[in-house]
Amino acid sequence: MSMALSIRGLSARYRRTPILHDISLPDMLPGQLVALVGPNGAGKSTLLRSLAGLTEASGSIHLGAQDLLSSSRRERASYLGFMPQTLPDGIALTVLETLLGALHAGRGGNGRDGVEKAHAVLVRLGIAHLAMRPLEQLSGGQRQMVSLAQAVIRDPALLLLDEPTSALDLRYQNDVMSLVRQLADDGRIVVVVLHDLGLAARWADQLVVLNAGRVHAEGTPIATLTPALLAEVYRIVARVERCSRGRVQVIVDGPSR
Ligand code: ADP
Ligand code: MG
């Protein structure tokens, strides 16, 4: 597979403090949706930011033949879409203007072409009615949808989403995950940080479980999510059961000792 995402021996630190320790993962392939899970502070955002070239990292990250660690910003913008966990505040620009900005960060279209692209993305996300609203006047969930639109507008081969559903109501959570699934099915590689293990199990092909900056486990959701893992990584007593439709559910009974 020419466009596989390959991560080998990846380490990252903030100043002197090591955060990620020698992360290696099986190659991720176009069409795959990979959920990155793990407790608070495990290093999920740091891993995503390393892939996006926003945090100093060592080791090797390749997308096909492209070396992500030595790519320029401009190169990155042509193949990578990143949605950060925290969204910038106090932006007076309208939704449409921020989308045009995101589009022109890569090659993108200009003028009318750009506006049409932006409109198409907003329609696909079900937020076309927000186009002319200033970003700073939107709710957290609405801004999260706009941030997702910014990440996908350039049609990136690699899409990195940091907790894209954390501020969304149940309907938008489902809509977003279904869209993210489609974006993967169209032939992209999608890595998404999720706290909700039920959502991760339902939508992702593979889970990567990070704990204290290391890969604790990876594999299919059903193989990975076990009571033993939940006890070790999250320090909870939990059951993993199938619902009446066969979907994996995680039921938390309490803290483990
Ligand atoms: P997660 O996304 O899994 O909750 P993060 O990747 O945000 O975890 O953080 C991993 C660790 O790195 C945490 O211990 C956190 O305190 C630390 N960290 C995150 N960002 C910074 C930063 N800018 N400077 C110093 N330490 C940071
Ligand atoms: Mg995070």
Side-chain angles (χ1 to χ4, degrees):
M1 283 290 163
S2 58
M3 279 299 272
L5 177 66
S6 142
I7 302 171
R8 299 276 181 278
L10 177 69
S11 296
R13 54 184 64 224
Y14 288 116
R15 294 173 185 271
R16 298 250 178 84
T17 313
I19 304 292
L20 297 179
H21 310 273
D22 197 24
I23 305 266
S24 295
L25 290 169
D27 284 1
M28 300 176 193
L29 303 175
Q32 274 190 341
L33 173 49
V34 178
L36 191 54
V37 305
N40 290 327
K44 305 179 297 294
S45 294
T46 304
L47 177 52
L48 229 55
R49 291 172 54 81
S50 301
L51 297 176
L54 298 169
T55 293
E56 284 258 322
S58 61
S60 117
I61 311 173
H62 285 82
L63 181 65
Q66 184 89 39
D67 180 348
L68 266 68
L69 287 180
S70 65
S71 295
S72 67
R73 261 186 77 159
R74 194 190 168 81
E75 283 172 323
R76 254 182 230 116
S78 69
Y79 56 73
L80 181 147
F82 173 65
M83 175 180 172
Q85 179 175 356
T86 45
L87 311 172
D89 245 347
I91 293 181
L93 299 175
T94 65
V95 168
L96 181 61
E97 285 167 334
T98 64
L99 283 182
L100 292 176
L103 193 57
H104 295 148
R107 256 156 256 163
N110 270 306
R112 194 168 176 78
D113 186 34
V115 173
E116 274 167 20
K117 253 190 189 157
H119 185 68
V121 169
L122 292 173
V123 168
R124 193 165 183 194
L125 294 185
I127 52 168
H129 58 288
L130 300 179
M132 295 310 185
R133 299 274 302 276
L135 209 56
E136 62 188 1
Q137 289 177 16
L138 301 184
S139 75
Q142 289 171 330
R143 273 194 294 151
Q144 203 161 30
M145 295 298 291
V146 174
S147 178
L148 179 62
Q150 288 175 357
V152 303
I153 191 165
R154 279 181 282 101
D155 251 344
L158 173 60
L159 195 53
L160 307 171
L161 309 172
D162 200 344
E163 299 193 29
T165 59
S166 61
L168 301 182
D169 66 36
L170 290 174
R171 172 64 195 266
Y172 271 113
Q173 280 184 21
N174 188 74
D175 286 357
V176 161
M177 289 313 297
S178 150
L179 173 77
V180 166
R181 182 68 258 179
Q182 278 171 36
L183 291 167
D185 290 343
D186 290 347
R188 296 179 187 82
I189 299 170
V190 184
V191 184
V192 53
V193 175
L194 291 172
H195 269 304
D196 185 327
L197 298 175
L199 273 188
R202 169 156 182 208
W203 294 100
D205 302 302
Q206 301 284 320
L207 295 192
V208 172
V209 184
L210 277 190
N211 192 21
R214 291 188 164 80
V215 177
H216 188 95
E218 51 79 21
T220 60
I222 190 66
T224 312
L225 289 179
T226 61
L229 175 124
L230 294 165
E232 281 174 49
V233 173
Y234 291 94
R235 295 187 294 125
I236 50 171
V237 175
R239 287 165 286 148
V240 181
E241 296 185 352
R242 300 267 192 176
C243 76
S244 55
R245 297 201 173 164
R247 287 188 193 131
V248 173
Q249 311 282 305
V250 174
I251 302 128
V252 178
D253 291 317
S256 69
R257 289 150 197 275

